[in-house]
Amino acid sequence: MSKEKHGYGPDNPHPLSTRKTELVWEGKYDEYGNRREVDIAGCAMPMQKIETIDEPASRLKPLGLFDAEKAHKDDFRNMLIWGDNKLVMASLLKDFKGKIDLIYIDPPFDVGADFTMNIPIGEEKETLYKDQSTLEMVAYRDMWGKGTDSYLHMMYERLVLMKELLSETGSIYVHCDYGVNHFLKCILDDIFGRDNFQNEIIWLRTRAQHSDAKRFGNVHDTIFSYSKRSDFFYEVQYREHKPEYIERFNKIDKDGRRYMLIPSHAAGAGPSRIFEGREIAPPPGRHWAYKQENIDKLIAEGKIEYTSTGMPNVKQYLNESKGAVVQSLWNDIIPLNPVASERLGYATQKPEALLERIIKAYSNEGDLVADFFCGSGTTGAVAERLGRRWIMSDLGRFAIHTTRKRMIGLQRKLYDANKPYRAFDVYNLGRYERQWWQKERLKGADEEHRRVVLEFYKAEVLQNSSSLLIHGRKGSALCHVDAIDGLFTRDELKAVAKSAKEAGAKELHCLAWEFEMDLRLICHEIEHADKIKIKLIPIPREIMEKNRTNPPPFLEVAVLEAEVIYNSPNPSLSKRGTEKKVVDIKLKKFVPSLAEVPTKELEALKERAIKSGFDFIDFWAVDFDYQDGQPFEHHWQAYRTRKDRSLPTVSNHEYDKYPKKGKYTACVKVVDIFGCDTSITVEVEI
């Protein structure tokens, strides 16, 4: 082809002649060769605040939580968000674009998401195997449906959003392993620029000896750090000196301070200097390492000591050293072992010391730190302890519960130590991302999906339903089957219930893969207002098994009953002369949903779940003055820990803050060992 025909030349270069070296994967470019923009479903999604968590008022000191000088100077409330992190970040852009000072992420490593673990039951040492939730399983299966291409595109889109959220002096740390670090390095170079690459940190993640047959054992992780621009914030970090280095400080002065002598000269010829009135020449081929004014200063400080030959040396004191400057090889942070005090049983939990080093190096007190794959909440726990603000999110419901419990426990520790902490809020993020972009790809599949679910549920498929939201009938109850892999939200529930009421139904069964937190509360409101009974029924994951013909069990969400206890006022809590009732809550019954339990283990647990349902409670809390439509506010909470497996079934709050006589509503929230929440309301009469 001739140059003249296409016009390529100095003023019109061929596109390939300007192409830089880059990592390309399926989905990075469209069919026309244009770079795909990050698909965030066209808009930011609203975040629903469902809980507001602070140290319960019953533990507060009479004069307030903190002294004025110890309190935080702002009213920022930390954020814990349940939802797909791509949509989380897209929704945060409105208020937090360019405002996050440090991001640390520990994403899955393209080896298949592993959310399995053994979780304890009750007060004994018995454990139950917890598999990943349906939402986690299906979400990550789809994210990585095209293998590494899908994984890279998933990470690329999220890292682009993280860059938008970072402040101009902010930095990001990306934790990865040997299998994907080379890919992620290329993506990070692409997004942040090679000039903004700061470190490749090697962390010794295990002390165990790996004896792989055909290769060296893999015992380290890689952490990449990038800044948004060149003038980023960084503070040098130090580690303790090694014993052999400390031993070199083998001299002790009259004050008992350890020191060693270091030469005052260096290579290269130079002139003489004056030492206490004497002119002393350096050894041949050497020069004095200090200017005369610095020598005078050292003499005045008593830091010059002479050898037997009269040669001046400098005293270097041990207590004047902050430690050894931290380098890029981190082999001094001990990995978590099975009996570590901070271990929570979460498979991918990282040690707090690792995050402490990162947060101290790249942020100041009061800065905003974020982690969008938060797991067990280590980033937020360390950030809180170091006086930073934080935002965390995760797709896994169990991760959110683990983090919530961990942060509540930290609040108590900081309170008991008379140190400040911030309250935090828990949010739902609307619908899961795939509901948006699956519409075209799965066009027509929803109908087949609903037919299969209803057949396994032994319900009749309605061919000519009066509403698009009503799909089947079981006995006298109408049935709604949520969309493929969807998260059933409160707005959807209201719309479905309205359709069922208009159809004259007295009972409604809602089948879904996953339910929004606190959805049971909305059920109670609708049942009371519309006189319609609502069942929330998780779709068993077993229906996705190939060639399955026998129906798996469909189990309703957990059953919870509680009652109000009225007591006489505690004199220590009530003003003299008052006759107010004090209120507490007693758990009467709890039968957990075993929808998370594999079928093969179900029969063994059914009887125990009925007889000893309280053994399956991991956490519960009470809002004594709950307002419809408002976030749940923790007035009292109790939970099991690794060391203390006991759990009270009666609150000991003695709530007496109702403003006047009348009827009020208390809300009780229970979270089981699977991370599933169940809430009910009870009437309080004062």
Side-chain angles (χ1 to χ4, degrees):
M1 298 182 183
S2 67
K3 169 185 169 182
E4 289 77 16
K5 182 176 180 180
H6 294 280
Y8 296 132
D11 299 325
N12 184 31
H14 190 282
L16 292 177
S17 71
T18 60
R19 181 70 60 86
K20 297 180 180 179
T21 302
E22 65 173 322
L23 177 65
V24 180
W25 58 88
E26 185 179 353
K28 186 175 183 179
Y29 294 92
D30 63 20
E31 59 269 34
Y32 305 106
N34 300 312
R35 189 77 164 259
R36 293 185 187 273
E37 295 183 359
V38 177
D39 180 12
I40 55 174
C43 63
M45 301 191 68
M47 287 191 288
Q48 178 74 41
K49 185 191 293 187
I50 60 169
E51 288 183 58
T52 177
I53 302 176
D54 200 353
E55 176 65 9
S58 63
R59 288 171 48 85
L60 300 186
K61 297 176 181 178
L63 298 179
L65 187 56
F66 312 118
D67 296 329
E69 67 273 14
K70 293 183 179 179
H72 291 293
K73 297 184 185 303
D74 59 73
D75 58 356
F76 182 88
R77 299 182 67 89
N78 296 319
M79 303 172 70
L80 178 60
I81 309 167
W82 182 44
D84 182 270
N85 55 17
K86 189 171 87 169
L87 288 184
V88 168
M89 289 185 281
S91 301
L92 290 172
L93 281 174
K94 178 182 177 183
D95 296 321
F96 293 96
K97 184 177 181 179
K99 294 183 179 180
I100 297 178
D101 301 289
L102 172 63
I103 296 174
Y104 167 87
I105 58 171
D106 181 17
F109 295 162
D110 193 26
V111 292
D114 185 10
F115 301 93
T116 61
M117 62 196 72
N118 289 315
I119 52 179
I121 305 177
E123 299 183 17
E124 306 300 324
K125 294 184 178 180
E126 181 184 358
T127 61
L128 175 66
Y129 179 80
K130 176 204 173 288
D131 205 345
Q132 56 190 352
S133 71
T134 302
L135 184 62
E136 292 166 335
M137 177 179 63
V138 178
Y140 283 106
R141 182 192 67 187
D142 190 85
M143 281 182 180
W144 303 342
K146 296 180 180 179
T148 300
D149 285 296
S150 300
Y151 176 78
L152 295 178
H153 195 68
M154 184 271 290
M155 289 301 303
Y156 173 79
E157 290 192 315
R158 285 152 178 79
L159 287 166
V160 167
L161 292 169
M162 291 179 205
K163 183 182 180 183
E164 290 290 301
L165 289 166
L166 270 181
S167 69
E168 293 302 304
T169 57
S171 299
I172 183 171
Y173 275 76
V174 180
H175 199 129
C176 51
D177 75 349
Y178 69 94
V180 296
N181 58 8
H182 52 300
F183 291 128
L184 288 177
K185 175 67 166 61
C186 291
I187 292 176
L188 289 162
D189 281 347
D190 190 359
I191 296 172
F192 290 90
R194 292 181 64 184
D195 292 342
N196 290 321
F197 168 62
Q198 302 304 332
N199 272 121
E200 178 185 19
I201 296 163
I202 303 300
W203 174 51
L204 185 66
R205 60 175 172 79
T206 179
R207 301 293 173 91
Q209 295 295 310
H210 286 220
S211 56
D212 296 333
K214 295 185 178 181
R215 62 179 183 177
F216 298 112
N218 292 306
V219 296
H220 78 276
D221 284 350
T222 301
I223 307 173
F224 292 119
S225 72
Y226 282 76
S227 60
K228 192 166 183 179
R229 66 184 194 186
S230 59
D231 58 338
F232 60 97
F233 175 83
Y234 175 74
E235 186 169 306
V236 176
Q237 297 298 296
Y238 301 88
R239 57 190 291 182
E240 291 184 0
H241 289 300
K242 295 181 178 179
E244 54 266 30
Y245 177 77
I246 295 175
E247 289 175 2
R248 295 167 60 186
F249 293 81
N250 54 5
K251 294 179 175 293
I252 300 176
D253 69 6
K254 58 181 177 57
D255 296 320
R257 295 195 301 164
R258 293 171 63 102
Y259 70 94
M260 66 176 177
L261 296 177
I262 59 175
S264 56
H265 49 79
S272 303
R273 299 285 190 214
I274 305 299
F275 291 81
E276 299 184 76
R278 293 188 300 136
E279 183 177 348
I280 302 177
R286 309 283 289 181
H287 72 277
W288 296 118
Y290 303 90
K291 296 179 179 179
Q292 186 63 57
E293 56 265 33
N294 292 332
I295 290 175
D296 295 339
K297 184 179 179 183
L298 289 170
I299 293 171
E301 294 173 348
K303 291 185 176 180
I304 295 293
E305 184 172 306
Y306 301 91
T307 67
S308 58
T309 61
M311 185 60 62
N313 285 336
V314 177
K315 294 180 181 178
Q316 181 176 323
Y317 284 92
L318 178 61
N319 65 357
E320 292 181 345
S321 173
K322 294 182 179 180
V325 176
V326 174
Q327 308 297 311
S328 61
L329 176 61
W330 294 4
N331 58 3
D332 60 320
I333 295 177
I334 301 174
L336 289 177
N337 61 63
V339 295
S341 60
E342 64 185 80
R343 177 172 283 281
L344 301 173
Y346 203 86
T348 58
Q349 183 180 349
K350 300 299 184 291
E352 289 192 3
L354 183 73
L355 272 299
E356 181 168 335
R357 177 170 291 173
I358 292 171
I359 291 173
K360 281 183 175 180
Y362 279 84
S363 69
N364 279 307
E365 188 172 342
D367 282 354
L368 182 56
V369 177
D371 185 346
F372 299 108
F373 296 87
C374 74
S376 62
T378 303
T379 302
V382 177
E384 183 70 53
R385 183 163 51 79
L386 296 178
R388 276 66 167 173
R389 301 169 295 152
W390 54 263
I391 298 173
M392 292 190 285
S393 75
D394 205 284
L395 178 63
R397 184 184 57 234
F398 188 79
I400 295 299
H401 169 55
T402 302
T403 300
R404 171 212 276 138
K405 198 170 77 168
R406 181 178 191 168
M407 300 311 299
I408 290 174
L410 181 59
Q411 283 186 347
R412 293 193 171 186
K413 288 181 180 179
L414 292 173
Y415 170 79
D416 290 339
N418 200 30
K419 295 180 180 179
Y421 65 86
R422 288 183 175 86
F424 68 98
D425 298 320
V426 182
Y427 293 84
N428 272 324
L429 186 68
R431 295 189 67 80
Y432 177 55
E433 171 192 353
R434 300 174 65 225
Q435 290 297 105
W436 295 88
W437 59 264
Q438 276 189 334
K439 286 182 178 179
E440 288 301 317
R441 199 185 71 172
L442 296 177
K443 199 170 184 178
D446 272 343
E447 185 176 345
E448 176 67 10
H449 161 253
R450 288 174 175 131
R451 182 189 65 77
V452 171
V453 172
L454 289 168
E455 286 183 359
F456 278 126
Y457 190 53
K458 297 183 178 180
E460 174 192 357
V461 179
L462 295 180
Q463 301 296 337
N464 297 303
S465 175
S466 59
S467 170
L468 294 175
L469 299 176
I470 304 299
H471 309 116
R473 182 186 300 275
K474 186 170 185 176
S476 60
L478 294 181
C479 301
H480 167 83
V481 182
D482 199 33
I484 299 174
D485 308 335
L487 176 67
F488 193 54
T489 68
R490 64 187 63 201
D491 291 336
E492 289 177 290
L493 174 60
K494 291 175 182 178
V496 172
K498 181 180 179 183
S499 295
K501 181 183 178 182
E502 291 173 351
K506 299 297 183 183
E507 186 171 350
L508 171 66
H509 297 180
C510 297
L511 292 86
W513 292 101
E514 189 73 88
F515 298 96
E516 191 176 72
M517 292 181 186
D518 280 348
L519 198 61
R520 195 64 248 177
L521 288 178
I522 307 300
C523 286
H524 290 313
E525 294 174 13
I526 296 172
E527 288 174 334
H528 181 75
D530 297 340
K531 310 301 180 188
I532 182 171
K533 184 179 180 181
I534 301 173
K535 289 185 177 181
L536 303 179
I537 302 171
I539 300 172
R541 70 182 68 190
E542 284 90 345
I543 71 167
M544 298 173 3
E545 297 174 355
K546 292 182 178 179
N547 303 318
R548 186 178 185 91
T549 56
N550 59 309
F554 284 76
L555 304 169
E556 193 177 354
V557 297
V559 175
L560 174 63
E561 296 178 8
E563 64 180 357
V564 180
I565 298 176
Y566 300 98
N567 294 308
S568 301
N570 187 325
S572 65
L573 299 176
S574 303
K575 295 179 180 179
R576 184 177 298 178
T578 62
E579 298 182 355
K580 283 185 178 180
K581 296 177 181 177
V582 295
V583 175
D584 273 301
I585 298 294
K586 179 182 181 181
L587 297 181
K588 293 177 60 181
K589 181 181 181 181
F590 180 71
V591 181
S593 173
L594 300 180
E596 297 284 337
V597 179
T599 303
K600 60 182 180 181
E601 301 178 33
L602 190 59
E603 289 301 319
L605 286 173
K606 272 185 176 180
E607 186 176 349
R608 181 170 181 179
I610 295 172
K611 290 184 176 181
S612 308
F614 292 159
D615 287 350
F616 292 80
I617 298 176
D618 190 50
F619 170 96
W620 71 290
V622 182
D623 182 342
F624 285 93
D625 192 9
Y626 176 73
Q627 308 293 321
D628 285 347
Q630 296 299 311
F632 181 96
E633 184 173 351
H634 290 232
H635 291 121
W636 178 91
Q637 72 261 123
Y639 50 88
R640 303 185 197 271
T641 67
R642 289 181 69 233
K643 293 184 178 180
D644 184 5
R645 300 299 304 160
S646 64
L647 187 78
T649 56
V650 180
S651 67
N652 59 352
H653 185 76
E654 298 188 332
Y655 189 83
D656 65 346
K657 300 297 188 293
Y658 298 109
K660 59 182 181 180
K661 293 183 178 181
K663 293 183 178 180
Y664 296 86
T665 299
C667 184
V668 185
K669 178 192 289 288
V670 168
V671 183
D672 63 28
I673 60 176
F674 306 105
C676 303
D677 68 292
T678 305
S679 301
I680 62 166
T681 57
V682 292
E683 187 177 274
V684 179
E685 188 168 354
I686 301 298

